[in-house]
């Protein structure tokens, strides 16, 4: 067993879980075309059946990515000095964010308001009025995750430096002992997150992804990012999480009972003997516990079953970031046309999903992976000479 003072080696399970989380995003955002929730564009016919699985995914898909990103940020600091770390974060996060705002996101806004413009050329100059969406055309849309991650990385530098120093040995020992049993692993972080939301949600109730007026959810996601760093930096705590995976799974399943009972109340499937404000409070509190329970359970089972190498894993993870940047725009562009076809919702859902996947792969292999400049725009490392190869060869590997 590794000592508390040492971090865990780079693990395959986190890479697999990152891959799984991004695939979930593909289907989740495709589902947004067909569920009754408000989104950028919608199919003329929607189905409530999408909400039953999407409401659950909504509360842990992004927290899982933030937890994994916290662990990844801890690794990114590595042996770098602070200035090198900031430069690496700027290159990996800020440059793709800026590129995305001016190149990737605008088609989403255009197709949402397509009837207001003659063509895309007519629309595009409106971005440079710098009027924030939805009043204007300036937005980072789904790239809020990249923006928040960039800010999280910078403000967490003091904590990162502390965790990597010998001064943190006692602190990590205390944390390891305090969270060494499944009850503590489940409830201490969840209650901490809950307290932050009790303090902030009355003032910032809506999830806007706009940073400056989103402090409640900004803090909510930041907690998962910090716990990702903390858990990954402590080998004893990490092993305890995996060891208690079955207890975590049972707790997660049990937490879904009040979660769905209150959700079914709002869907008018059942009626609870309380007013809607009380039921909503119960749902919001339960959702926080579901978020943490699901994330930590997935992490636990991932480290037990997915910590295995695969020859494709490196290639998967190299392309995940470009895939994330591209996927929502392609869903909206493809979805706009598919939703006009006289097909069933099921056929449209799978058509948009598969065409988006294929389009992402084609753009990645043909336009991003072979070119150093495009790799930089999409947060990838510059192309090495030995990586230069024809597109057909890259597709074959």
């Amino acid at each position: 067993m590794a000592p508390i003072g040492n971090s865990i080696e780079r693990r395959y399970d986190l890479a697999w879980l990152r891959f799984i989380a991004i695939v979930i995003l593909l289907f989740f955002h495709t589902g947004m075309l067909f569920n009754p929730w408000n989104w950028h564009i919608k199919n003329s016919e929607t189905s409530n059946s999408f909400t039953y699985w999407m409401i659950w995914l909504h509360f842990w898909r992004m927290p899982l990515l933030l937890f994994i990103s916290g662990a990844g940020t801890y690794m990114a600091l590595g042996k770098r000095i602070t200035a090198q770390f900031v430069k690496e974060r700027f290159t990996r996060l800020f440059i793709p964010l800026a590129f995305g705002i001016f190149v990737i996101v605008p088609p989403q806004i255009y197709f949402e308001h397509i009837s207001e413009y003659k063509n895309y050329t007519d629309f595009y100059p409106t971005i440079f009025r710098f009027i924030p969406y939805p009043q204007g055309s300036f937005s980072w849309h789904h790239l809020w995750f990249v923006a928040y991650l960039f800010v999280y990385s910078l403000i967490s530098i003091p904590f990162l430096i502390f965790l990597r120093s010998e001064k943190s040995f006692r602190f990590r020992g205390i944390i390891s002992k305090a969270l060494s049993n499944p009850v503590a692993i489940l409830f201490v972080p969840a209650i901490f997150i809950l307290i932050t939301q009790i303090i902030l949600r009355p003032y910032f109730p809506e999830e806007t992804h706009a940073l400056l007026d989103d402090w409640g959810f900004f803090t909510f996601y930041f907690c998962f990012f910090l716990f990702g760093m903390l858990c990954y930096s402590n080998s004893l705590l990490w092993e305890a999480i995996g060891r208690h995976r079955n207890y975590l799974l049972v707790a997660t399943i049990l937490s879904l009972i009040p979660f769905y009972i209150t959700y079914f109340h709002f869907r008018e499937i059942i009626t609870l003997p309380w007013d809607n404000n009380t039921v909503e409070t119960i749902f919001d509190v339960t959702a926080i516990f579901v978020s943490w329970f699901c994330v930590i359970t997935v992490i636990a089972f991932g480290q037990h079953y997915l910590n295995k190498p695969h020859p494709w894993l490196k290639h998967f993870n190299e392309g995940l970031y470009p895939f994330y940047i591209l996927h929502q725009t392609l869903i909206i562009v493809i979805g706009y046309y598919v939703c006009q076809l006289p097909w069933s919702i099921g056929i449209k859902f799978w058509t948009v999903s598969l065409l988006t996947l294929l389009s992402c792969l084609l753009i990645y292999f043909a336009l991003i992976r072979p070119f150093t400049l495009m790799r930089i725009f999409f947060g990838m490392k510059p192309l090495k000479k030995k990586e230069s190869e024809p597109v057909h060869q890259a597709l074959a590997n």
Side-chain angles (χ1 to χ4, degrees):
M1 182 178 294
I4 296 173
N6 289 353
S7 62
I8 308 163
E9 74 280 359
R10 185 179 294 271
R11 299 179 60 94
Y12 300 110
D13 52 334
L14 291 181
W16 281 117
L17 289 176
R18 186 183 295 109
F19 170 76
I20 292 170
I22 296 297
V23 171
I24 288 174
L25 281 180
L26 167 65
F27 294 113
F28 185 90
H29 284 142
T30 303
M32 290 297 292
L33 294 167
F34 307 105
N35 72 13
W37 303 342
N38 185 44
W39 208 48
H40 309 293
I41 65 169
K42 303 294 293 187
N43 190 50
S44 58
E45 178 188 2
T46 60
S47 172
N48 287 327
S49 62
F50 280 84
T51 66
Y52 300 130
W53 57 271
M54 290 180 67
I55 191 65
W56 172 57
L57 289 179
H58 173 70
F59 283 101
W60 66 269
R61 60 192 175 87
M62 297 310 294
L64 175 63
L65 271 178
L66 265 303
F67 186 99
I68 295 171
S69 297
T73 302
Y74 179 87
M75 287 187 286
L77 182 60
K79 297 181 180 179
R80 295 182 177 95
I81 62 174
T82 303
Q84 292 172 328
F85 174 76
V86 172
K87 180 181 178 181
E88 188 268 348
R89 296 287 88 181
F90 180 87
T91 303
R92 289 271 291 165
L93 298 171
F94 186 81
I95 291 178
L97 175 63
F99 177 77
I101 289 173
F102 291 104
V103 178
I104 304 300
V105 170
Q108 299 183 37
I109 303 170
Y110 170 68
F111 277 92
E112 182 177 351
H113 300 283
I114 192 170
S115 62
E116 302 172 18
Y117 302 96
K118 297 178 181 178
N119 49 48
Y120 191 73
T121 303
D122 183 41
F123 157 79
Y124 191 74
T126 65
I127 299 167
F128 298 96
R129 298 172 187 168
F130 299 107
I131 301 174
Y133 176 91
Q135 289 74 25
S137 305
F138 188 71
S139 175
W140 51 44
H141 271 39
H142 68 294
L143 300 183
W144 70 267
F145 172 77
V146 181
Y148 280 35
L149 186 56
F150 179 65
V151 176
Y152 291 160
S153 298
L154 297 184
I155 65 177
S156 63
I157 287 176
F159 186 55
L160 277 168
I161 294 174
F162 170 72
L163 282 179
R164 284 195 165 274
S165 70
E166 295 182 359
K167 296 178 182 178
S168 69
F169 187 85
R170 182 181 177 186
F171 167 75
R172 280 186 281 166
I174 294 172
I175 294 296
S176 179
K177 290 180 180 179
L179 301 181
S180 61
N181 64 81
V183 174
I185 291 172
L186 285 165
F187 285 96
V188 172
I191 291 173
F192 177 84
I193 297 170
L194 176 62
I195 291 172
T196 68
Q197 298 308 289
I198 290 174
I199 295 171
L200 293 170
R201 289 274 184 98
Y203 303 99
F204 306 98
E206 300 296 328
E207 185 174 4
T208 67
H209 298 156
L211 186 62
L212 296 180
D213 62 354
D214 195 34
W215 296 115
F217 285 91
F218 176 91
T219 304
F220 173 76
Y221 291 120
F222 188 40
C223 289
F224 287 90
F225 180 82
L226 289 177
F227 282 122
M229 287 196 302
L230 184 61
C231 292
Y232 192 80
S233 69
N234 192 320
S235 59
L236 295 182
L237 176 57
W238 191 264
E239 291 174 4
I241 292 170
R243 188 167 60 249
H244 298 309
R245 61 189 177 278
N246 291 328
Y247 296 106
L248 305 183
L249 177 61
V250 171
T252 298
I253 294 172
L254 292 176
S255 71
L256 291 175
I257 296 174
F259 177 81
Y260 271 108
I261 287 175
T262 50
Y263 183 70
F264 289 158
H265 171 86
F266 290 112
R267 300 302 315 159
E268 298 182 349
I269 296 175
I270 63 174
T271 301
L272 295 174
W274 305 299
D275 61 78
N276 283 344
N277 288 334
T278 300
V279 176
E280 186 174 359
T281 300
I282 295 172
F283 177 80
D284 289 342
V285 171
T286 304
I288 290 173
F289 283 89
V290 167
S291 296
W292 174 252
F293 286 10
C294 287
V295 167
I296 203 64
T297 301
V298 169
I299 292 295
F301 276 86
Q303 68 167 272
H304 186 73
Y305 291 104
L306 298 178
N307 193 26
K308 301 173 183 178
H310 192 282
W312 290 1
L313 186 57
K314 177 182 177 181
H315 300 291
F316 284 158
N317 275 273
E318 185 184 42
L320 280 182
Y321 194 15
F323 183 91
Y324 175 82
I325 293 172
L326 289 169
H327 83 282
Q328 184 166 299
T329 295
L330 290 172
I331 286 172
I332 289 175
V333 173
I334 294 170
Y336 175 81
Y337 295 104
V338 171
C339 285
Q340 298 180 46
L341 299 173
W343 297 347
S344 68
I345 288 179
I347 293 176
K348 289 181 180 180
F349 173 82
W350 288 109
T351 299
V352 174
S353 298
L354 293 176
L355 286 179
T356 299
L357 175 60
L358 292 174
S359 298
C360 284
L361 291 174
L362 178 62
I363 293 171
Y364 171 68
F365 282 112
L367 301 178
I368 300 173
R369 190 175 185 268
F371 305 106
T372 296
L373 181 60
M374 293 300 293
R375 291 172 70 95
I376 292 173
F377 283 151
F378 282 87
M380 299 173 65
K381 295 179 180 179
L383 189 66
K384 297 178 182 178
K385 290 184 178 181
K386 66 179 181 179
E387 293 177 348
S388 301
E389 54 184 339
V391 172
H392 71 273
Q393 184 178 340
L395 287 167
N397 285 342

